[in-house]
Amino acid sequence: MQELTLILEGGALRSVYTSGVLDVLMKYKIEANYVLGVSAGALTGMNYISKQQSRSKDINIEYCDNPRYIGLKALRKEGGLIGYDYLFNKISKEDNPFNYDTFKESKQKFISVITNCEKGTTEYVEKNECRGDIFKVVQASSSMPLCSKMVKIGNNHYLDGAITMPIPVDWAIKQGHKNILVVLTRDRNYRKPEISNTMKRVYKRVYHKYPKLVEKLCTMPERYNALKEHINELEKQGRIFVVAPEVPVTVSRLEKDKEKLRKLYEEGRRDMEKFAQMGSAPFCAKTRV
């Protein structure tokens, strides 16, 4: 295990890019001591902790057009567009088994980032310190607003961690983490467009019981865009490392085109291989002969 912190951005099926990056790390047996996953980044990070190369990519590409995984059957059966029960049970226990023992016994710190809907705040839940079901926490982290039901944990309700903290780089820095590698699923220059007044009204109507959540939802672009500027500056200063797509990503969050997903996965592999061979990061020493 190395002194390395991975921060994995979400992006739903755009996370196949992250799968490519993590598969290269696994190829070189580079084990980060901390992994922070946000939204789909948490789902993808689970397979890095369980040491299952290509599993995340295989599931997302094979099942992207399966309505029980993403679509109307999931909506009818589970109340959201993503079939988490189908993923964590049928897929993970039968079709493409998840290595639960390796995941649970790993000494790597795995942290899922979630949004507390009542408070409108960010919570960081580590798998070995979780008082309940860590898989439920990961589900909450990746439960996109309007697309998924809230996940109740204890006395509170939770949604996608990206609502309040899409890329928790400052949290890692304040915790004293060294060698921070941020994996983005959008190019460095990507900025979120402003939320329309119509969408703001939808948020207010759907989540009227959660005013602090609504406030965070309506300000997501401004906060995300400022964070991206901050990350670019931290990278220039040499305080963090960043792996990101070099060109704008055209893959949508709920992409059905399997070839586009395969290409994005391969892009993640190529970018990580290129980064590793540059030799600028100490944790890449294993990649050099």
Side-chain angles (χ1 to χ4, degrees):
M1 195 181 304
Q2 296 177 258
E3 188 175 18
L4 167 64
T5 294
L6 291 176
I7 297 178
L8 311 177
E9 184 182 18
L13 290 183
R14 285 192 293 271
S15 66
V16 293
Y17 178 86
T18 306
S19 301
V21 172
L22 297 184
D23 283 354
V24 170
L25 291 177
M26 284 190 274
K27 167 188 169 183
Y28 291 114
K29 295 181 171 54
I30 296 174
E31 294 186 7
N33 56 336
Y34 279 89
V35 179
L36 280 82
V38 183
S39 194
L43 285 168
T44 308
M46 287 176 61
N47 297 287
Y48 172 71
I49 300 294
S50 68
K51 296 178 174 56
Q52 291 177 275
Q53 283 192 52
S54 81
R55 182 177 183 271
S56 182
K57 176 263 295 184
D58 290 345
I59 288 174
N60 281 324
I61 293 178
E62 180 179 351
Y63 293 91
C64 69
D65 57 355
N66 185 324
R68 293 184 65 189
Y69 181 47
I70 303 173
L72 294 179
K73 286 188 177 179
L75 180 63
R76 287 195 295 269
K77 189 174 179 61
E78 301 188 37
L81 287 175
I82 311 296
Y84 289 106
D85 183 66
Y86 184 63
L87 170 63
F88 288 129
N89 287 286
K90 180 66 167 63
I91 295 176
S92 294
K93 293 179 180 178
E94 299 178 21
D95 299 348
N96 193 329
F98 180 69
N99 194 331
Y100 291 95
D101 290 339
T102 299
F103 177 79
K104 291 178 180 178
E105 294 168 8
S106 174
K107 291 181 171 56
Q108 293 171 279
K109 296 286 187 178
F110 175 71
I111 300 167
S112 297
V113 181
I114 56 179
T115 292
N116 184 311
C117 297
E118 281 83 4
K119 300 177 182 178
T121 56
T122 309
E123 295 184 14
Y124 302 84
V125 183
E126 205 282 314
K127 73 177 180 71
N128 293 324
E129 299 172 0
C130 178
R131 288 175 291 180
D133 182 357
I134 186 61
F135 300 100
K136 196 171 185 180
V137 175
V138 171
Q139 177 181 340
S141 180
S142 55
S143 291
M144 296 182 291
L146 303 181
C147 295
S148 305
K149 293 191 303 182
M150 289 181 176
V151 178
K152 189 174 183 181
I153 302 174
N155 295 323
N156 293 106
H157 296 82
Y158 293 87
L159 279 175
D160 198 325
I163 297 170
T164 52
M165 182 44 64
I167 312 166
V169 63
D170 282 340
W171 184 88
I173 291 173
K174 288 177 182 177
Q175 294 292 314
H177 293 199
K178 306 295 183 184
N179 295 324
I180 298 171
L181 175 61
V182 178
V183 182
L184 303 177
T185 55
R186 292 281 201 178
D187 65 278
R188 287 171 174 80
N189 296 321
Y190 172 78
R191 300 294 182 269
K192 287 185 181 293
E194 184 178 348
I195 294 177
S196 68
N197 289 330
T198 299
M199 184 54 69
K200 288 180 180 179
R201 286 194 292 270
V202 170
Y203 284 143
K204 290 176 182 178
R205 183 168 64 250
V206 174
Y207 299 119
H208 64 276
K209 294 182 180 179
Y210 305 90
K212 293 181 179 178
L213 173 67
V214 171
E215 179 185 353
K216 294 296 184 180
L217 285 167
C218 292
T219 58
M220 282 181 66
E222 296 90 336
R223 291 182 291 105
Y224 179 86
N225 296 342
L227 182 56
K228 285 292 289 288
E229 295 287 349
H230 180 52
I231 287 171
N232 287 348
E233 187 59 34
L234 289 172
E235 183 183 22
K236 289 176 184 177
Q237 295 172 2
R239 298 177 64 190
I240 64 172
F241 303 97
V242 177
V243 174
E246 295 183 358
V247 297
V249 175
T250 60
V251 168
S252 67
R253 290 190 302 173
L254 303 179
E255 184 64 60
K256 302 298 184 186
D257 188 327
K258 296 186 178 184
E259 188 56 32
K260 287 178 71 173
L261 291 170
R262 290 189 188 96
K263 288 180 179 178
L264 185 58
Y265 168 77
E266 292 299 334
E267 187 178 344
R269 289 192 66 98
R270 287 194 303 270
D271 289 348
M272 187 61 217
E273 287 279 8
K274 187 189 303 183
F275 177 87
Q277 296 307 322
M278 285 171 59
S280 58
F283 51 84
C284 289
K286 288 187 178 183
T287 68
R288 301 189 291 277
V289 179

